[in-house]
Amino acid sequence: VEAAKRAAAYAAVDNHVKPEHQIIGIGSGSTVPYVVERIVQQGPKVNTNRWFVPTGFQSKELIVKNGLKLGDVDSFPEIDVTIDGADDVDSNLNAIKGGGACQLREKVLAEAAKTFIIVADFRKNGEILGQGWKQGVPIEVAEFAWSKVQRQLVKLGSTNAALRMGKAKAGPVVTDNGNFVIDAQFDEKFMKQPDELLKTIKLLTGVIEVGLFTNMCQAAYFGNEDGTITAKE
Ligand code: DER
């Protein structure tokens, strides 16, 4: 799977990170390190003129560790290209994101980018959202409102809406923004219309961001087990 992630990341960088691109958004997860690896390979000459905007703590560490200049979205509101991972992608390039609980800053950088590219391994290359990623839609919520939102998600039709608990941490996962995450499963009839579901969930008071990225991605690159790449535009 790592080779597939690397192949997808390399193809995305080779096709979409041009020498003239100076502001680059770097996503979160285990695939984006290969994106940074490939950008570093473009050489110090082109990279000294670039600023790299992170989508969270992990992303920031990745940029700094690779000796790249750290930018922020306040100084660089317009981003040339953002490359990020995803948990599931459908045939219309809609994505479930937030497996790493970074979807708020990821969506800000995806929106701010002229081009938003997804990189992933073959497991994420799907038809309808939720067929591959079974953990549900990640929803960032204010701590104060989480149980109210959970009840409303069930009323909306979620088959299972659960507060995301820490693994090496007692209690719930806390995002880089100090909020909680609810993972809410919905059946196919909802997941076939991700933009409708996004709007419905986003309107619930206490919801901060929803891990449904609809009509945002210009291209997605998937690494396959046989070493080939599938590109969806
Ligand atoms: O949280 C996210 O949206 C991340 O991009 C993440 O889920 C992607 O996961 P992976 O690159 O580790 O498969």
Side-chain angles (χ1 to χ4, degrees):
V1 170
E2 291 312 304
K5 292 179 181 181
R6 171 177 269 121
Y10 277 36
V13 170
D14 295 352
N15 285 290
H16 293 279
V17 181
K18 305 288 181 212
E20 66 272 17
H21 287 156
Q22 294 195 300
I23 316 300
I24 299 172
I26 299 293
S28 308
S30 63
T31 307
V32 286
Y34 299 115
V35 168
V36 173
E37 183 177 275
R38 190 57 164 176
I39 290 175
V40 168
Q41 288 170 8
Q42 290 187 345
K45 203 158 137 301
V46 73
N47 282 315
T48 42
N49 304 325
R50 284 173 167 166
W51 295 87
F52 294 81
V53 186
T55 51
F57 184 91
Q58 178 232 351
S59 172
K60 178 172 146 249
E61 292 292 285
L62 187 61
I63 292 165
V64 171
K65 200 173 67 198
N66 281 278
L68 299 169
K69 286 193 301 186
L70 189 61
D72 60 76
V73 74
D74 306 327
S75 321
F76 302 103
E78 270 250 304
I79 294 177
D80 290 311
V81 53
T82 290
I83 306 187
D84 201 347
D87 299 303
D88 215 352
V89 183
D90 71 12
S91 43
N92 301 314
L93 292 187
N94 299 307
I96 294 178
K97 281 178 60 49
C102 298
Q103 71 268 24
L104 171 60
R105 299 189 190 192
E106 289 174 334
K107 196 177 273 192
V108 169
L109 294 203
E111 257 180 21
K114 292 178 196 125
T115 306
F116 175 54
I117 304 292
I118 283 176
V119 290
D121 60 76
F122 51 92
R123 296 171 301 172
K124 319 312 185 65
N125 184 5
E127 289 301 313
I128 299 171
L129 293 180
Q131 290 174 328
W133 176 260
K134 303 280 185 203
Q135 289 87 317
V137 177
I139 301 161
E140 183 155 347
V141 292
E143 175 180 348
F144 176 76
W146 80 266
S147 55
K148 191 266 309 176
V149 169
Q150 184 188 38
R151 284 194 299 276
Q152 286 177 308
L153 288 164
V154 172
K155 257 197 221 117
L156 276 178
S158 173
T159 48
N160 179 29
L163 186 61
R164 187 181 298 182
M165 303 309 280
K167 290 213 169 44
K169 174 193 177 292
V173 162
V174 178
T175 69
D176 293 337
N177 315 301
N179 302 308
F180 285 175
V181 177
I182 291 176
D183 292 300
Q185 291 161 346
F186 289 90
D187 62 31
E188 207 167 272
K189 78 170 188 298
F190 290 96
M191 300 308 273
K192 273 180 173 166
Q193 307 286 344
D195 38 2
E196 290 312 312
L197 183 57
L198 166 59
K199 284 182 211 145
T200 306
I201 297 174
K202 190 74 187 277
L203 281 178
L204 298 176
T205 304
V207 167
I208 290 160
E209 195 42 74
V210 184
L212 290 171
F213 285 43
T214 61
N215 309 308
M216 298 182 80
C217 171
Q218 275 75 47
Y221 290 80
F222 302 95
N224 299 316
E225 285 183 290
D226 61 2
T228 60
I229 306 282
T230 302
K232 275 181 179 174
E233 302 249 333

